[in-house]
Amino acid sequence: MINIFIAVGGSGAKVAETLVRMLAVGFPTKFDQGGIATSAGDELQIWRLDPDRSSGAAQALQKAVDEYAFLLDSLRKGDAASNWGMEIERDARGQALVRHLDPLASHEENQRVKTLRGILHSQGKALNGQVAKDARPFLSLFYDSKELDVEIDRGFYQKPFIGAPVMAIFAETLKDANSSGGRQCQLSYLETQSVRFFLCGSLHGGTGACGVPVMSKFIGDHKKTKQSQLD
């Protein structure tokens, strides 16, 4: 079983760090075939969703993950099945991995993307040689100029109404396996696996308050779509 913990914003990252530390002291998540409470035999993937790439919470999370991987390797007895606890995802070099999902990554080619105006207006690019409509009249219906020009590469400043459209655009890109987020999440691969999703973030801030509802809806809709295709 793959357990995917999506840590949204700083609060989500701190909860993910706490989860890793609980696993390190032997906190069980299931009963094995012998009736023993354990977390061994499953895998944990941590997806950190946050536009703030230099977050202190992210650094603390990575440190905890690295220490947990070291503990697993130190207590392993001969084979991979003898883990102390749940295995943590590793990269190609065997290092503990946290997937850092940046909702701004797909807009980096546009110098205006540090602001909501840059992201939302950049969506109106010309297609098939046709001139795209100006998005500014629509944006002004929902946002003040000062809100459109807030730099958002360090978070959404307890303003989920600013982050919600950014998260919605990001979630839509996950359907494209060639997008930045699509390559990191690999949804097509997960569709063939046994997976449980856990979503965590503060609903009283900015990043979590906009990211948790958007991502929960995306995951639910994606699951329903795939199920209907199999029916």
Side-chain angles (χ1 to χ4, degrees):
M1 173 72 71
I2 300 176
N3 297 286
I4 298 177
F5 190 96
I6 305 177
V8 187
S11 296
K14 295 304 293 183
V15 175
E17 179 189 347
T18 301
L19 170 62
V20 171
R21 296 193 183 282
M22 290 176 67
L23 292 173
V25 298
F27 188 84
T29 58
K30 64 178 183 180
F31 291 97
D32 65 15
Q33 294 180 348
I36 298 175
T38 182
S39 67
D42 288 346
E43 176 184 320
L44 174 64
Q45 292 185 12
I46 298 177
W47 299 2
R48 174 182 167 267
L49 177 57
D50 197 332
D52 188 355
R53 299 185 180 184
S54 58
S55 165
Q59 296 174 17
L61 171 59
Q62 186 64 61
K63 182 174 183 294
V65 166
D66 290 340
E67 292 172 345
Y68 178 63
F70 180 77
L71 174 67
L72 290 179
D73 292 341
S74 298
L75 296 177
R76 203 184 306 275
K77 297 178 181 179
D79 60 86
S82 62
N83 280 348
W84 161 258
M86 187 180 299
E87 181 57 79
I88 193 78
E89 185 181 19
R90 314 276 184 133
D91 62 19
R93 299 173 298 171
Q95 301 298 310
L97 176 65
V98 175
R99 302 192 191 193
H100 296 281
L101 308 181
D102 183 356
L104 306 180
S106 60
H107 307 280
E108 287 183 338
E109 74 283 356
N110 191 316
Q111 294 183 356
R112 299 174 298 168
V113 300
K114 290 184 177 181
T115 67
L116 185 61
R117 186 192 305 276
I119 288 178
L120 297 183
H121 196 224
S122 67
Q123 300 306 300
K125 294 180 180 178
L127 297 175
N128 300 324
Q130 297 181 355
V131 178
K133 293 183 178 180
D134 191 341
R136 285 172 294 184
F138 301 99
L139 296 180
S140 63
L141 291 172
F142 300 99
Y143 302 97
D144 294 334
S145 292
K146 62 180 181 180
E147 295 168 344
L148 290 170
D149 293 326
V150 171
E151 293 192 1
I152 55 178
D153 58 338
R154 297 296 299 275
F156 300 120
Y157 306 96
Q158 296 185 325
K159 297 178 179 179
F161 59 90
I162 289 180
V166 178
M167 289 295 186
I169 292 172
F170 170 75
E172 191 67 21
T173 68
L174 298 182
K175 299 176 183 178
D176 180 2
N178 294 318
S179 69
S180 174
R183 289 192 299 270
Q184 285 185 285
C185 294
Q186 301 175 331
L187 293 181
S188 59
Y189 167 75
L190 293 175
E191 291 164 8
T192 64
Q193 306 297 313
S194 180
V195 180
R196 289 184 295 196
F197 283 95
F198 301 87
L199 194 60
C200 182
S202 171
L203 298 181
H204 299 283
T207 305
C210 65
V212 170
V214 169
M215 290 302 296
S216 62
K217 184 178 186 304
F218 170 78
I219 293 171
D221 290 348
H222 184 75
K223 180 179 179 180
K224 290 179 182 177
T225 299
K226 294 304 175 182
Q227 286 179 335
S228 64
Q229 292 175 352
L230 295 174
D231 294 339

